[in-house]
Amino acid sequence: MSLLLNSSFTGASSACLLHRERSRRRRLRVPGVTCRQGSNDDRSDAARQKQSPLLLDRRDILLGGLGGLYGVTAGPKVLAAPIMPPDLSTCHPATAPALDNKCCPPYDPSETISEYGFPATPLRVRRPAHLMKDDQEHLDKYKEAVRRMKNLPAEHPWNYYQQANIHCQYCNDAYFQQNTNDVPVQVHFSWIFLPWHRYYLHFYERILGKLIEDDTFTIPFWNWDTKEGMTFPAIFEDASSPLYDPKRDQRHVTGGKILDLKYAYIENPASDSEIIRENLCFIQKTFKHSQSLAELFMGDPVRAGEKENQEANGQLEVIHNATHAWVGEPDGYKENMGDFSTAARDSVFYCHHCNVDRMWDIYRNLRGNQVEFQDNDWLDSTFLFHDENEQLVKVKIRDCLNPTKLRYTFEQVPLPWLGKINCQKTAETKSKATTELSLTRVGEFGTTAQALDASNPLRVIVARPKKNRKKKEKQEKVEVIQIKDIKVTTNETARFDVYVAVPYGDLAGPDYGEFAGSFMRLAHRKKGNDGTQEQGPKKKGKLKLGITPLLEDLDAEDADKLVITLVLRTGSVTVGGVSINLLQTDAPAVI
Ligand code: C2O
């Protein structure tokens, strides 16, 4: 295996090499990169001891929780606990049809878990991918690092496909949470989404840097929030490069096609400039509608052991989902990007997520860098990764909130979506909507769940909790559309878009009004024993969309009720209810 890496790797002492020779560890080591202190041979006791604090911590927490549940300790707070990493010995078949449901890493019971030593490098600057073609040196390093990662022994934790499998393990149900046998560890659909992926990228980037012995190495970001970056990044297109992946939708990733951030397996017929405007508006609205309450942008809380909570991703995750679908193959298992189990097998995954991470950083800066959730169940949520020294380390959300602690930052590039763009419907559409009035009666949602129908959007009239809210009230509470009990057929991707309009009395005009946001869930399938595609686990979800600024744009502050329209774009979806509520804000509006 040593031949796979060039001889510029140095640094392992001969004692270290000798130890390695003798090691009974199943995992293969990269010469010259690390040698852990102490012998790994006398595994189990000492080693197990080292790993156990994490497991014990978790049990303590959970017992506290169960105590609360059974009345030993009172108060709902005791029930909650941060998400903890799974017991790595319990990896089991995943919901990963393209991988035959297999993505567990090699398990080494002697491996110990340590605290992560945060890097002390100079601040490393992540650059836009579309500008990397002019930075041949950086691009060459990137390709070389990925090439080396692909050439590592298949079982090595740094191997390209082992790295990709991490995503499958934590997204496709390969682990249950500790002390449960039916609650998967899931890093999407909640407030865990952004921090987990931040760490995942960080370690991937550090490992690539280590493989080329460059402590300043950074991965690029897919700058899809600017016109110049809205096509598939050219550096991933070259079929002879290690960054290439043949399993993509060729119609989208070649020929300068504009990315559609609302993609749902149907081509957007609009012109390029119109799609660009729609994308920028979607990003602008996402920031604007969610700036005063972090969960609207980042996702809802999830706590240890929770089984019945309704998943709610933030709007940033929704934007992110469409890009996954747009890059992956249109058929079959939507490999690689279109299914979470295979997504990270395409190098562009990390480039895409690098921009998602950047969006979080911008959101945070706009909100004065305040901590998004002052809640220990978020801050103490803990993840496990292999670091750039091949050590299995645990990291907490509280330590990744500021990227400078991880020693990276993003190159400053223009943010066209933050400026003035016309994101309201044009005056023309508006007047058309009122001149060609064919009003229809629209009912309330009622109490029974309703299936969405692609050819007949669901339109409901919903009362607002309060109208004519004063500026101060708006600063204290954000008005939010809540759609609950969303059920999808999980072996298909599901998407619906939400529009808001002002009714005429109790009647609705033909126009759906302004776009407020979307629900999107990528397909989550597994392979049945007979090879057929079965559904992944079903869970109810919910959607929350801030509308305070949108109502100002609509001039709707004095409306008692709103017409809310749900337009199904793909998949099968039923929803259990639509309401409008006022939620406490956590930051002032700035844009
Ligand atoms: Cu874990 Cu883009 O997904």
Side-chain angles (χ1 to χ4, degrees), residues 167 171 187-188 193 196-197 320 324 340 349 352-353:
H167 194 255
C171 314
V187 295
H188 299 90
F193 171 69
W196 185 87
H197 287 80
H320 136 278
H324 271 278
F340 285 149
F349 170 95
H352 171 41
H353 270 273

Side-chain angles (χ1 to χ4, degrees), residues 432-485:
K432 207 166 137 209
T434 38
T435 49
E436 294 177 8
L437 279 186
S438 59
L439 300 178
T440 38
R441 190 160 297 278
V442 169
E444 290 175 0
F445 188 90
T447 50
T448 39
Q450 303 205 38
L452 301 187
D453 170 356
S455 53
N456 185 21
L458 176 68
R459 308 198 72 195
V460 288
I461 198 155
V462 185
R464 295 174 66 204
K466 190 160 193 288
K467 65 174 183 174
N468 295 323
R469 295 201 303 140
K470 305 272 167 315
K471 195 164 176 228
K472 182 154 178 296
E473 294 177 280
K474 290 185 196 171
Q475 282 165 353
E476 285 165 2
K477 289 188 173 164
V478 56
E479 193 159 346
V480 176
I481 296 177
Q482 290 187 284
I483 301 174
K484 64 170 184 181
D485 295 335

Side-chain angles (χ1 to χ4, degrees), residues 71-276:
V72 179
T73 328
K77 197 63 199 160
V78 202
L79 284 172
I83 297 287
M84 285 288 136
D87 177 346
L88 297 185
S89 69
T90 62
C91 195
H92 53 75
T95 48
L99 305 174
D100 263 333
N101 300 341
K102 289 190 203 105
C103 62
C104 287
Y107 173 63
D108 176 356
S110 73
E111 197 163 33
T112 58
I113 297 169
S114 7
E115 298 290 333
Y116 179 50
F118 283 82
T121 67
L123 204 57
R124 293 168 287 115
V125 183
R126 292 181 176 174
R127 304 205 59 216
H130 69 280
L131 298 181
M132 218 180 185
K133 60 180 188 312
D134 307 322
D135 187 352
Q136 195 60 41
E137 194 190 329
H138 192 168
L139 178 56
D140 287 345
K141 282 184 182 172
Y142 185 26
K143 290 200 243 177
E144 179 60 14
V146 172
R147 191 184 68 78
R148 290 181 186 188
M149 195 178 240
K150 286 187 167 170
N151 284 344
L152 286 170
E155 302 268 282
H156 194 284
W158 291 356
N159 174 281
Y160 186 84
Y161 299 99
Q162 292 294 347
Q163 285 289 309
N165 278 350
I166 296 171
H167 194 255
C168 171
Q169 291 146 27
Y170 290 104
C171 314
N172 298 79
D173 319 305
Y175 293 112
F176 293 128
Q177 292 183 32
Q178 285 184 39
N179 302 305
T180 76
N181 55 12
D182 56 354
V183 188
V185 181
Q186 172 56 259
V187 295
H188 299 90
F189 324 124
S190 78
W191 65 3
I192 300 285
F193 171 69
L194 290 167
W196 185 87
H197 287 80
R198 170 166 287 177
Y199 272 127
Y200 181 39
L201 256 64
H202 169 70
F203 288 114
Y204 177 79
E205 179 176 77
R206 294 296 291 152
I207 292 166
L208 289 176
K210 192 82 176 197
L211 285 168
I212 52 167
E213 288 200 315
D214 182 348
D215 224 16
T216 68
F217 178 77
T218 51
I219 50 173
F221 58 87
W222 181 353
N223 197 182
W224 39 247
D225 58 311
T226 58
K227 178 173 175 231
E228 298 70 27
M230 243 178 239
T231 54
F232 188 78
I235 57 169
F236 298 92
E237 265 185 57
D238 170 7
S240 66
S241 152
L243 305 177
Y244 184 71
D245 182 349
K247 293 182 175 175
R248 294 173 180 153
D249 188 333
Q250 293 306 323
R251 301 166 305 168
H252 296 158
V253 302
T254 53
K257 182 102 175 155
I258 302 293
L259 166 67
D260 175 8
L261 289 178
K262 289 186 189 151
Y263 185 68
Y265 295 108
I266 296 168
E267 297 309 314
N268 186 339
S271 67
D272 284 2
S273 60
E274 179 55 20
I275 299 175
I276 292 168

